[in-house]
Amino acid sequence: MTRDTGKKEIYLDHAATTGVKQEVLEEMMPYFSLRYGNPSSIYKLGRESRQAIDMARERTALALGVSPSEVFFTGSGTESLNWAIKGAAEANSSKGKHIITSNIEHHAVLHTCLYLQKKGYDVTFLPVDRNGLLTAEQVFKAIRKDTILITVMTANNEIGTIQPVAEIGAIAKEHGILFHTDAVQAIGNIPINLKTLPVDMLSLSAHKFYGPKGAGVLYLRKGSRITDILQGGGQEKGRRPGTENVPAIAGLGKAIELASQNIEKYNAHMLNLRNKLIDKVLAAIPYTRLNGDREKRLPGNANFSFEFIEGESLLLLLDMKGISASSGSACTSGSLDPSHVLLAIGLPHEIAHGSLRVTFGETNTEDDIDALTEALIFSVGKLREMSPLYENAAKNI
Amino acid sequence: MYSDKVMDHFMNPRNVGEIPDADGVGQVGNPKCGDIMKMYLKINDGIIVDAKFKTFGCGAAVATSSISTELIVGKTVEEALKITNKAVADALDGLPPAKMHCSNLAEEAIRAAIEDYRSKNPGK
Ligand SMILES: Cc1ncc(COP(=O)(O)O)c(C=O)c1O
Ligand code: FES
């Protein structure tokens, strides 16, 4: 099948990943084959690589408002989360085995917690409300004498909802419980300053903010006691051994620097696009709902459910028009269940099925909104014509 | 991940719609686990002369519905009952492994529509 040719490709899946920015790429390039030295080597070539890592660490620390000694480079967001959660659980198991999290965490957190459950830990998965939000009160009430870790995401990857991490962190601090937040979707999209935000550990991933894939950070506040999950050489103070991925780390440093410098402008751009899109789509297409809180959500995130249709079919039709987006439908997940996040906010299976996530990025424009809306009117209409469910609904009115 | 043939049947599905005076109608699947397929058949002297469908499901579900209607029109009821999900998938130049279950739906929908026809026309 040929896709509509001559049309601009419109990428609306920035929560999945972003493309590496030119300035970031330039920062990375020398460290592939020109300055290939091992950062642990003492000669010049090695020292140059070491300097690149030091620079990246400083940039990251500055962007987050922390000390460089609290920044640890890892191989992904997933690795950072695994380290934080498993490391905190193991280091504190003599104090207790209770962990508090939410029921809309990314699989990297969810499955890590389920793994710990099998190992004898007790995990409370706090339910979010219909808008996808948790309250600090819920966390407070869930705290027990044996609670050793609270891990709640800053912002959700599917519905974009932003949790009250400052309040949750304050409660954790009062109780002397370690608090970790998965900020993978938040960094680069909303301002985060750890000088004032009471979190002990934070995970981030470079590919969500125009940096390379396979580069993450675990921020570990000084004094936070966690064990390490990898054993090996002396890299990252011996806490995350393995020869460093120098180009990726250099790219991460540049990307987070740019992201924090541009955050206000970027934020405003996203907000404008997102609000216009939501208004337009809800007005243009009947039997449509917005998933996740309208206000407390990432500036670039919109998540809709179109009743009577299935998300994968919708993605295929959009792709034919050169538009890339994502869906929480069961048919895209390869399992029989739709996204756990959409079920957690109380959507029935068939409505979760018809979900579409649109996440904007730097190069999107208002023209993209018009193109998407037009494509949606066509595609949703076409699928509803084919749908036995729509037939019944049409008869009932 | 889909073959060109699947994409063709998904983008230009054959025989979408309803047959108001159908001789047999079958609906299978359920919205909870994903997919629903509704098949309408027009049958003359034991031969399927027309078939139409409506489907709620993924690209593979739509494509298998579409090709199934093409496969059964002109066939006798007995011949139509012999069409397997494998035959449906083969006619589409294959389906990704994770999508094979979608082709069961087409087989089941044909069967359900024929059962409906037989229950209304005992002895046929
Ligand atoms: C909220 C959230 N946490 C964790 C991850 C995992 O990050 P990575 O892809 O770097 O392993 C992602 C990315 O998909 C995410 O969106
Ligand atoms: S209908 Fe869900 S995977 Fe095919």
Side-chain angles (χ1 to χ4, degrees):
Chain A
M1 276 305 293
T2 47
R3 302 166 87 218
D4 285 8
T5 46
K7 272 204 176 157
K8 185 179 142 206
E9 296 282 328
I10 303 177
Y11 185 74
L12 295 170
D13 203 14
H14 293 83
T17 196
T18 57
V20 171
K21 254 188 209 171
Q22 193 56 38
E23 295 113 295
V24 174
L25 189 62
E26 278 164 22
E27 196 79 23
M28 297 171 67
M29 283 314 280
Y31 302 99
F32 283 104
S33 53
L34 192 65
R35 296 187 182 155
Y36 52 81
N38 188 319
S40 301
S41 303
I42 60 160
Y43 41 78
K44 180 164 171 281
L45 205 56
R47 290 197 308 273
E48 283 168 353
S49 290
R50 166 65 48 213
Q51 277 160 11
I53 294 176
D54 289 345
M55 164 89 96
R57 201 184 311 282
E58 270 159 38
R59 285 174 166 163
T60 306
L62 189 68
L64 296 176
V66 303
S67 146
S69 64
E70 297 170 310
V71 173
F72 293 86
F73 293 115
T74 67
S76 64
T78 300
E79 188 196 324
S80 299
L81 299 165
N82 268 266
W83 183 9
I85 296 169
K86 290 177 184 161
E90 197 184 36
N92 295 284
S93 62
S94 61
K95 280 196 236 160
K97 291 200 156 190
H98 181 228
I99 297 168
I100 299 171
T101 187
S102 84
N103 66 348
I104 61 163
E105 297 295 310
H106 187 270
H107 282 141
V109 170
L110 203 59
H111 292 165
T112 303
C113 287
L114 291 174
Y115 167 85
L116 287 174
Q117 222 172 21
K118 279 206 203 113
K119 296 272 169 191
Y121 289 81
D122 191 4
V123 185
T124 300
F125 296 93
L126 293 173
V128 294
D129 68 10
R130 299 201 146 255
N131 288 334
L133 294 170
L134 209 61
T135 63
E137 169 99 16
Q138 276 177 286
V139 175
F140 177 74
K141 284 190 176 149
I143 291 175
R144 312 191 311 215
K145 275 207 167 61
D146 60 341
T147 306
I148 50 169
L149 172 68
I150 299 170
T151 177
V152 171
M153 69 201 318
T154 308
N156 184 266
N157 46 303
E158 291 185 44
I159 54 175
T161 48
I162 299 173
Q163 305 299 347
V165 283
E167 291 168 54
I168 296 171
I171 287 169
K173 198 171 173 184
E174 253 170 52
H175 289 78
I177 299 166
L178 279 176
F179 177 49
H180 167 258
T181 189
D182 170 0
V184 169
Q185 289 291 337
I187 297 289
N189 281 308
I190 52 174
I192 291 196
N193 187 342
L194 297 179
K195 260 193 206 112
T196 48
L197 199 65
V199 313
D200 301 304
M201 300 180 278
L202 175 145
S203 296
L204 63 85
S205 180
H207 75 99
K208 307 290 187 182
F209 49 88
Y210 308 95
K213 294 163 184 65
V217 162
L218 178 63
Y219 156 74
L220 250 184
R221 189 181 291 280
K222 197 165 166 274
S224 309
R225 241 171 44 82
I226 70 169
T227 57
D228 302 327
I229 54 177
L230 294 181
Q231 279 67 45
Q235 296 88 352
E236 298 298 288
K237 292 187 243 158
R239 303 209 57 181
R240 200 286 185 177
T243 301
E244 300 89 336
N245 186 350
V246 184
I249 291 171
L252 185 156
K254 188 67 189 171
I256 201 166
E257 179 183 83
L258 292 172
S260 70
Q261 285 166 355
N262 297 336
I263 193 102
E264 264 152 47
K265 216 170 119 209
Y266 190 58
N267 212 306
H269 176 57
M270 299 290 102
L271 261 180
N272 174 45
L273 293 180
R274 180 256 267 173
N275 288 338
K276 287 207 166 111
L277 179 75
I278 292 175
D279 290 341
K280 227 172 153 168
V281 167
L282 293 181
I285 305 176
Y287 298 109
T288 299
R289 55 164 286 160
L290 177 74
N291 298 318
D293 193 88
R294 170 91 209 223
E295 303 300 328
K296 290 178 190 152
R297 71 189 304 139
L298 287 174
N301 171 295
N303 189 309
F304 303 102
S305 275
F306 302 102
E307 284 187 56
F308 320 120
I309 66 163
E310 187 283 315
E312 188 209 86
S313 305
L314 181 59
L315 295 186
L316 290 171
L317 289 179
L318 292 178
D319 182 36
M320 286 293 161
K321 304 230 171 245
I323 297 174
S324 311
S326 87
S327 169
S329 162
C331 305
T332 57
S333 72
S335 83
L336 277 181
D337 290 319
S339 129
H340 66 285
V341 176
L342 298 177
L343 295 182
I345 60 170
L347 295 194
H349 276 65
E350 61 271 29
I351 298 196
H353 237 59
S355 77
L356 178 78
R357 179 187 73 179
V358 174
T359 43
F360 289 110
E362 207 158 60
T363 53
N364 291 125
T365 64
E366 291 194 15
D367 288 346
D368 297 343
I369 298 177
D370 296 339
L372 173 63
T373 311
E374 196 185 309
L376 281 174
I377 291 170
F378 168 80
S379 308
V380 171
K382 178 169 169 153
L383 293 171
R384 281 181 178 169
E385 279 302 302
M386 260 191 245
S387 169
L389 297 175
Y390 186 54
E391 189 183 299
N392 298 340
K395 276 178 197 147
N396 286 345
I397 355 177
Chain B
M1 68 167 186
Y2 287 134
S3 70
D4 287 350
K5 196 127 181 220
V6 171
M7 285 311 290
D8 176 36
H9 276 268
F10 170 69
M11 292 299 289
N12 311 294
R14 331 294 198 252
N15 305 310
V16 176
E18 298 162 51
I19 302 178
D21 58 344
D23 298 303
V25 181
Q27 178 166 324
V28 296
N30 98 47
K32 264 206 131 172
C33 59
D35 17 5
I36 304 182
M37 196 178 289
K38 194 168 181 181
M39 183 76 77
Y40 299 81
L41 300 179
K42 191 87 196 129
I43 301 172
N44 265 349
D45 291 334
I47 295 174
I48 298 169
V49 292
D50 196 9
K52 291 225 182 316
F53 78 91
K54 286 216 168 166
T55 291
F56 166 78
C58 70
V62 172
T64 52
S65 311
S66 165
I67 198 136
S68 302
T69 59
E70 282 196 330
L71 288 175
I72 59 173
V73 170
K75 292 215 162 56
T76 64
V77 166
E78 285 72 27
E79 284 167 336
L81 283 171
K82 286 194 193 117
I83 292 173
T84 59
N85 63 339
K86 169 122 189 356
V88 170
D90 286 348
L92 287 168
D93 298 338
L95 284 172
K99 295 288 181 180
M100 281 305 288
H101 72 273
C102 310
S103 64
N104 293 339
L105 210 61
E107 190 189 326
E108 286 167 20
I110 295 169
R111 198 152 289 163
I114 291 175
E115 266 165 35
D116 179 52
Y117 161 72
R118 283 184 166 163
S119 72
K120 287 177 188 156
N121 301 273
K124 289 203 182 170

